[in-house]
Amino acid sequence: MKYLKLLRPKHWAKNAFLFIPLFFAGQLFNLEKITELLIAFIAFSLTASSIYIINDYQDIEADRKHPVKCKRPLASGEISKPVALVIFALCILVGFGLSYYVRQKFAFVVGIYFILNLGYSFGLKNISILDIIILAIGFVLRVKAGGVASDVAMSEWLMIMVFLLALFMAIAKRRDDVLIKIASGQEMRKAAKGYNLDFMNVMLGLVSAVIIVSYLMYTMSPETQTRFHTYRLYYTSLFVIGGLLRYLQITYVENNTGSPTKILYKDRFIQLTIFLWVLSFYVLIYLPTNVRFFE
């Protein structure tokens, strides 16, 4: 169990972003492409786990001061450093081996993700603003990797929306670190020196407003309406706005955005908005025109 905990399998939910291009391309039931994506998902997850391991390795002392991260296998001493490095190497070998098997270009994208996050673990995470931008780019690379693995073209709108949403969650997570610093007097990470509560609040409000405006522009753009054969896509903005407002409520009222993955697994309101949003697009993309409720 402790070795599985080191890999952080709960965070593999983030890699579901690989399936987004295939879903919007209307090929979700293409068995051949789904099989390729499942292999790609495993490859990307193992590569991501290798990053989690090296990040934990670098942050052992800092994690021991954190009220939650102190329970991680390396910080708590459950797993020794040499064993962690062996598991790290195995994840890299299997992850990149499977990546190359899927597609050479997919392995290239995974390589970019690995190098970028390796840089993050070895110092870039200590530079405020750059740290949250790198986290957001990681999600864009997940979508890009999914498009490459399934051989599906992606729209610029999709990439922009994923980047903005990931940036929003990264800011909320950093705000939680600021709150811990205020409460305990200890800095959880060096980048926290460049943040304070007022700055984080302004950034959250700014990015959430940009997300809503961008999404409305996306749903009402002629290109998008032509692609989905309906002008009523803006109905789906209800779920996007609802989900954002709930996340802001968790951020400002409950002060509990330290783990976006935990929120995804436990918050029923967020889960409902995501389900309804996916369902609405499923109806638009996969059901025959004559039975679509949007028409």
Side-chain angles (χ1 to χ4, degrees):
M1 179 59 72
K2 61 183 180 181
Y3 298 109
L4 190 62
K5 190 177 178 182
L6 182 69
L7 299 179
R8 299 195 210 172
K10 288 184 178 180
H11 288 262
W12 292 355
K14 300 173 185 176
N15 301 328
F17 276 72
L18 271 75
F19 293 87
I20 289 178
L22 192 67
F23 175 77
F24 281 101
Q27 299 185 51
L28 192 59
F29 299 109
N30 185 318
L31 187 59
E32 182 180 349
K33 291 185 180 294
I34 281 290
T35 302
E36 288 181 335
L37 268 179
L38 286 173
I39 298 173
F41 176 86
I42 295 171
F44 204 101
S45 295
L46 288 173
T47 305
S49 287
S50 72
I51 294 296
Y52 298 147
I53 293 171
I54 207 68
N55 193 50
D56 286 354
Y57 188 94
Q58 290 292 110
D59 287 350
I60 290 177
E61 295 304 320
D63 285 350
R64 284 173 179 165
K65 301 174 184 177
H66 196 282
V68 177
K69 295 179 182 179
C70 63
K71 298 176 183 177
R72 289 177 175 175
L74 276 169
S76 64
E78 283 186 276
I79 295 178
S80 65
K81 290 182 179 180
V83 172
L85 290 176
V86 170
I87 297 173
F88 164 79
L90 288 174
C91 286
I92 290 297
L93 288 173
V94 179
F96 274 97
L98 288 175
S99 297
Y100 190 82
Y101 172 79
V102 173
R103 268 189 180 81
Q104 289 185 28
K105 191 174 180 181
F106 175 73
F108 176 73
V109 177
V110 172
I112 293 175
Y113 173 85
F114 177 77
I115 292 170
L116 181 66
N117 281 276
L118 203 61
Y120 175 88
S121 296
F122 280 95
L124 295 181
K125 64 183 176 184
N126 298 324
I127 304 174
S128 57
I129 297 180
L130 180 61
D131 63 328
I132 58 176
I133 289 176
I134 290 175
L135 289 175
I137 290 174
F139 281 88
V140 174
L141 288 174
R142 285 175 170 90
V143 176
K144 179 67 176 178
V148 169
S150 57
D151 196 23
V152 168
M154 294 159 294
S155 71
E156 294 82 1
W157 279 110
L158 179 60
M159 306 294 279
I160 291 170
M161 292 306 304
V162 168
F163 176 78
L164 289 172
L165 181 61
L167 187 64
F168 173 80
M169 291 189 293
I171 294 169
K173 185 175 182 179
R174 287 293 179 268
R175 184 181 182 276
D176 199 72
D177 289 338
V178 171
L179 290 175
I180 293 175
K181 177 185 174 181
I182 293 172
S184 66
Q186 292 184 336
E187 288 184 349
M188 296 298 105
R189 58 183 76 242
K190 292 181 180 179
K193 293 178 181 178
Y195 299 129
N196 62 33
L197 202 55
D198 290 336
F199 182 46
M200 305 309 287
N201 291 343
V202 169
M203 282 204 296
L204 267 179
L206 176 64
V207 174
S208 58
V210 172
I211 289 174
I212 292 172
V213 172
S214 298
Y215 189 80
L216 287 171
M217 290 176 63
Y218 161 70
T219 58
M220 293 188 289
S221 70
E223 176 189 351
T224 305
Q225 292 177 0
T226 300
R227 181 180 179 185
F228 292 106
H229 309 292
T230 180
Y231 66 89
R232 295 184 174 91
L233 279 169
Y234 66 90
Y235 291 168
T236 64
S237 62
L238 172 67
F239 311 126
V240 174
I241 294 171
L244 278 175
L245 291 178
R246 171 56 185 157
Y247 209 94
L248 287 171
Q249 184 183 48
I250 295 171
T251 302
Y252 289 122
V253 180
E254 301 177 15
N255 292 321
N256 188 29
T257 50
S259 175
T261 308
K262 185 177 178 180
I263 292 172
L264 178 63
Y265 280 124
K266 293 190 174 183
D267 192 85
R268 294 290 178 261
F269 193 100
I270 295 286
Q271 291 172 355
L272 181 62
T273 55
I274 293 174
F275 171 76
L276 291 175
W277 181 80
V278 171
L279 178 63
S280 63
F281 269 96
Y282 176 84
V283 170
L284 285 167
I285 299 171
Y286 293 93
L287 294 189
T289 305
N290 61 339
V291 296
R292 288 179 181 168
F293 62 79
F294 281 102
E295 301 298 333

